[in-house]
Amino acid sequence: MAPNPSRLADRLVTAGLVRREESSRDRRHVELSLTPAGHETARSVAEVEAELHSRIAAAATGQGLDAVLGFLRPLVAGRSAGEAEALRAGRATGTTGAA
């Protein structure tokens, strides 16, 4: 189940990563922005993600496409990225393959 966006924003504000402000144009809207700590965390996450992608690429070098996909698909199975990939490939849960 996906997290509630309001609760997620509350947690990020509490952690000091996000600043919440009432919109100057419409009081019904809330504007969220990263704090300095949020920017630093985003940079750290991007570095870890780049290293992960580099390691996956190194491990995949010289491997056949089927072997690489066989390794990567279980990593994303059941997650939104995995479901999107399965839909594109016609393997989505509940599909019969019939057009």
Side-chain angles (χ1 to χ4, degrees):
M1 176 179 236
N4 176 307
S6 294
R7 288 189 192 134
L8 178 57
D10 289 343
R11 289 176 39 208
L12 293 170
V13 168
T14 299
L17 301 174
V18 170
R19 182 180 311 108
R20 178 188 291 131
E21 296 176 4
E22 192 175 276
S23 172
S24 59
R25 291 170 281 189
D26 186 340
R27 291 181 352 142
R28 296 171 295 176
H29 292 217
V30 173
E31 295 176 358
L32 301 173
S33 59
L34 291 176
T35 63
H39 281 288
E40 182 57 37
T41 299
R43 277 190 292 277
S44 295
V45 168
E47 289 173 9
V48 169
E49 184 179 41
E51 177 64 22
L52 174 63
H53 289 175
S54 177
R55 288 181 182 205
I56 290 172
T61 300
Q63 302 296 319
L65 181 60
D66 288 339
V68 173
L69 292 176
F71 168 75
L72 293 175
R73 283 190 177 124
L75 290 176
V76 297
R79 293 176 172 81
S80 57
E83 293 301 318
E85 190 277 331
L87 282 170
R88 282 192 302 274
R91 294 187 320 279
T93 305
T95 60
T96 63

